[in-house]
């Protein structure tokens, strides 16, 4: 079985905005427009409040210029899960059939006299 790595990322735009005392998404729109990126107020809100699935490089570069940062400051990738990878030196799978099940234990208590 082939190992598949599922990757994801953390989006830190809201944190960068807070570090620059920018608390409203409406403050970001004009700064983006000054750099040639025209987004509607709803798009700016989604860019800040949600984790974007697609982002143009022009927008990314504009955000880096606004906050004097690198793309690494905005996007933090991480491995979400590794699917199908078997651990090295793992014990082989054991077939548990009906005749190899454990016998139920009986607990006998002694009475104190």
């Amino acid at each position: 079985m082939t190992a598949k790595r599922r990757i994801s990322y953390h989006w830190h735009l809201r944190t960068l905005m807070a570090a620059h005392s920018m608390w409203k998404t409406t403050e970001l729109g004009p700064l983006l427009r000054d750099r040639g990126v025209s987004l509607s107020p709803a798009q700016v809100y989604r860019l800040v409040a949600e984790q974007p699935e697609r982002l143009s490089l022009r927008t990314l570069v504009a955000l880096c210029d606004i906050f004097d940062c690198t793309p690494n400051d905005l996007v933090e990738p991480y491995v979400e899960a590794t699917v199908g990878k078997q651990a090295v030196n793992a014990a082989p799978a054991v077939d548990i059939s009906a005749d190899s099940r454990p016998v139920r234990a009986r607990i006998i208590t002694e009475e104190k006299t």
Side-chain angles (χ1 to χ4, degrees):
M1 182 179 280
T2 306
K4 293 182 181 179
R5 289 171 53 102
R6 291 183 57 201
I7 57 170
S8 191
Y9 59 94
H10 296 290
W11 181 240
H12 297 294
L13 179 56
R14 185 176 290 279
T15 307
L16 281 173
M17 287 178 64
H20 287 82
S21 299
M22 193 180 300
W23 307 107
K24 297 178 182 177
T25 59
T26 54
E27 297 174 76
L28 185 58
L31 297 174
L32 287 169
R33 270 192 299 284
D34 289 346
R35 288 157 179 85
V37 177
S38 295
L39 298 176
S40 70
Q43 289 172 317
V44 174
Y45 175 81
R46 284 193 306 269
L47 183 65
V48 174
E50 299 173 8
Q51 187 168 302
E53 290 296 319
R54 290 180 298 233
L55 183 67
S56 74
L57 287 178
R58 183 176 304 276
T59 304
L60 180 63
V61 171
L63 290 171
C64 289
D65 184 57
I66 291 167
F67 297 110
D68 191 29
C69 66
T70 67
N72 289 344
D73 298 321
L74 281 166
V75 181
E76 178 188 349
Y78 67 92
V79 176
E80 193 173 81
T82 303
V83 181
K85 187 175 182 180
Q86 188 173 10
V88 178
N89 298 329
V94 178
D95 180 30
I96 301 178
S97 57
D99 56 309
S100 65
R101 292 191 177 186
V103 177
R104 182 178 225 161
R106 269 185 60 208
I107 300 173
I108 303 172
T109 58
E110 295 182 24
E111 291 184 27
K112 292 185 181 181
T113 54

